[in-house]
Amino acid sequence: MKKTGINMEKVKRRNRLLIVNFIHETGPVSRKSMSETLGLTPAAVTQICTELMDRGILIETGTLPGEKKAGRKRVLVDIDYNYRYVYGINIFPENIILVLTNLNGEVLERAEIDPVLERSTEELIDQMAEECRKMRKLQEVGLEKMAGIGISICQFDAETGHSSRYGKREWDEDLLRKKISAMSGLPVEIGDSVRALTMAEQFYGHGRQRDNMFLVHWDKWLWSSCVTENKIYTDHVKKPVGLEHLIIQKSGAKCYCGRRGCLETVVTFRNIRDHIQKLFNEGQTPLLSDMIDGDFTNFSFELLVSRSNEMDSVIRSYLGDIIDVFARTIINATTLLAPESIVLSGRWFKNEQNLNNLIRATSFYDESYDNRRLIYTRLSDREDYIGGVALITGADLYDFLY
């Protein structure tokens, strides 16, 4: 049966998609390797690569390192990540971080805005648009080279660790999109920080080599998400589904979600701080008292994360119980979902001792949950800005480039 023009175009699109995604996942690669790995003919690979290079999407980056054979050298092909540029706007309760990056998330310019409550939302939106314009002007990037603006909005209150729909300020997403788009002349994509950072892990982090993974972010607050067959698993309102609202205590505290005993009520910084303060007030924490000069107002999340293993035994025992509950919850949730890897992020896990404590706890219950399955994010130094960028770049690489 002869293929129609429509079918042939679908085949070409599929092959272009295969090649672009393969290069993004593996890095610079030869045409021969693409042909052998993807099952495409050498002629098809050469034709598609030539077409994409003519468009400026692909570039040749040299020859295969260490190749000593006589004859024609194998030339490596890579994506030109300077083909387009992206604005990432990341709105947190305590600050707003704006970046101009290339497609690989490499920062060209960065700015920060203090979202003080005395300033109106409209004033802040105007300043965001102005800062974006300044960054592009400094880098001499033409508007035609800009792909769009991604706006990630953190929905966690920095003080309570609870979801409070963007902290103390209400952000009207329709107004934000309309004003930023009108002032910039660019498409705008808005998403909450959980979806944005999950997309960032898919596009820039471990997700480049994994289609199925479970993400756990532990900072002052907790969030998690699941990626199945390279898609973010969501509930009926398209919100990423995680483990923070699994019930783990029979007579636990009431969670802001309305349930009692959620994991969220145990592991957020506010709850941990309140429990440790009770121990402090009862005189059970002389080591901690020395660390904070006898004044509990000096107790901070940074101190807890960096020096928890030096604190009093009663605190270490309490934190050990939290880690144990956390480990069992992760295993129970992922036994059903069966991800290839559990990717950990957030400042709690940035401390290697804390990370190892969790891995020891999970591997105690199930030896397969070791440091090969529980892995730390590659994006720890980019978490404050990469989410907004990924909302633009991470949707569909081929459609985005082509």
Side-chain angles (χ1 to χ4, degrees):
M1 181 177 176
K2 187 177 180 181
K3 292 185 178 180
T4 66
I6 293 176
N7 287 336
M8 285 303 297
E9 185 53 41
K10 284 183 179 179
V11 171
K12 288 180 181 178
R13 185 190 186 283
R14 171 188 170 276
N15 291 343
R16 294 190 202 108
L17 178 61
L18 283 173
I19 287 175
V20 169
N21 282 341
F22 180 67
I23 296 173
H24 177 65
E25 291 169 3
T26 62
V29 63
S30 69
R31 293 169 177 82
K32 182 178 180 182
S33 293
M34 281 189 265
S35 174
E36 292 171 348
T37 305
L38 299 176
L40 301 176
T41 66
V45 170
T46 298
Q47 180 182 4
I48 292 170
C49 287
T50 299
E51 176 189 341
L52 294 176
M53 283 191 287
D54 288 344
R55 291 179 65 90
I57 296 171
L58 300 184
I59 53 173
E60 292 183 337
T61 60
T63 57
L64 195 66
E67 191 172 44
K68 297 179 180 179
K69 291 181 181 179
R72 188 172 181 178
K73 304 290 185 182
R74 285 187 284 179
V75 177
L76 301 180
V77 177
D78 197 3
I79 295 169
D80 183 359
Y81 288 101
N82 293 319
Y83 175 69
R84 289 284 186 270
Y85 298 92
V86 177
Y87 288 123
I89 300 177
N90 302 269
I91 299 175
F92 301 97
E94 65 275 13
N95 61 1
I96 300 172
I97 295 171
L98 307 92
V99 291
L100 172 65
T101 78
N102 66 5
L103 298 181
N104 210 28
E106 296 163 354
V107 176
L108 284 71
E109 294 289 340
R110 179 183 173 114
E112 193 166 329
I113 297 173
D114 183 359
V116 292
L117 291 174
E118 290 75 18
R119 299 181 64 190
S120 71
T121 299
E122 288 78 7
E123 287 178 313
L124 289 175
I125 292 174
D126 289 343
Q127 187 176 353
M128 289 182 215
E130 177 60 19
E131 292 293 344
C132 287
R133 187 194 65 79
K134 286 180 183 177
M135 291 191 292
R136 186 168 61 82
K137 186 175 180 181
L138 284 170
Q139 288 295 317
E140 299 181 345
V141 175
L143 189 62
E144 73 282 357
K145 294 284 285 183
M146 296 301 306
I149 302 176
I151 304 177
S152 166
I153 308 179
C154 180
Q155 55 181 318
F156 297 94
D157 187 286
E159 171 61 20
T160 66
H162 293 167
S163 175
S164 58
R165 193 59 182 171
Y166 314 147
K168 297 180 177 65
R169 182 188 295 275
E170 282 293 329
W171 290 96
D172 183 329
E173 292 186 13
D174 290 336
L175 174 65
L176 187 59
R177 180 182 289 104
K178 185 177 179 180
K179 288 203 70 173
I180 292 289
S181 181
M183 296 172 77
S184 66
L186 294 169
V188 174
E189 183 68 31
I190 298 176
D192 68 74
S193 57
V194 175
R195 183 166 75 92
L197 286 171
T198 302
M199 291 176 69
E201 194 67 52
Q202 287 179 277
F203 191 76
Y204 296 113
H206 290 291
R208 291 173 90 159
Q209 288 82 38
R210 293 167 177 83
D211 291 336
N212 301 285
M213 58 183 179
F214 196 85
L215 282 70
V216 180
H217 181 93
W218 194 8
D219 205 272
K220 283 187 174 182
W221 52 81
L222 170 70
W223 64 258
S224 57
S225 61
C226 179
V227 175
T228 303
E229 298 298 323
N230 214 28
K231 302 291 183 183
I232 301 174
Y233 184 64
T234 60
D235 61 15
H236 66 287
V237 292
K238 303 299 182 182
K239 182 179 179 181
V241 174
L243 53 75
E244 49 268 39
H245 295 296
L246 294 179
I247 297 172
I248 50 90
Q249 286 185 328
K250 181 179 179 180
S251 303
K254 191 168 185 178
C255 182
Y256 70 89
C257 73
R259 293 175 169 182
R260 286 193 179 276
C262 292
L263 181 65
E264 171 91 13
T265 65
V266 175
V267 303
T268 56
F269 174 60
R270 183 181 184 180
N271 297 312
I272 293 174
R273 181 190 62 195
D274 289 349
H275 184 89
I276 292 177
Q277 186 170 16
K278 289 179 183 178
L279 299 175
F280 174 82
N281 292 340
E282 294 168 0
Q284 299 185 54
T285 59
L287 294 178
L288 174 62
S289 185
D290 287 343
M291 291 180 190
I292 59 178
D293 297 325
D295 183 355
F296 198 79
T297 59
N298 293 328
F299 184 76
S300 65
F301 178 74
E302 290 71 25
L303 177 68
L304 176 67
V305 168
S306 62
R307 302 187 65 185
S308 60
N309 290 288
E310 303 170 34
M311 292 181 182
D312 303 86
S313 60
V314 66
I315 295 177
R316 287 185 277 112
S317 177
Y318 164 65
L319 295 175
D321 289 342
I322 289 177
I323 291 291
D324 186 73
V325 169
F326 206 164
R328 283 185 277 120
T329 307
I330 288 174
I331 292 172
N332 289 338
T334 56
T335 296
L336 294 173
L337 299 167
E340 300 167 58
S341 301
I342 295 98
V343 181
L344 306 172
S345 63
R347 285 177 290 177
W348 187 270
F349 294 127
K350 197 169 187 177
N351 181 308
E352 191 171 354
Q353 280 187 307
N354 296 333
L355 177 65
N356 290 335
N357 286 342
L358 178 68
I359 294 174
R360 275 195 295 271
T362 54
S363 60
F364 171 79
Y365 291 106
D366 186 330
E367 293 180 355
S368 70
Y369 284 78
D370 57 14
N371 58 8
R372 290 167 295 183
R373 192 166 185 196
L374 276 76
I375 54 179
Y376 188 59
T377 181
R378 297 170 180 166
L379 306 179
S380 61
D381 60 342
R382 301 201 276 175
E383 286 180 352
D384 63 349
Y385 77 82
I386 199 65
V389 175
L391 286 171
I392 295 296
T393 59
D396 187 320
L397 178 61
Y398 172 79
D399 284 342
F400 174 67
L401 289 171
Y402 205 80

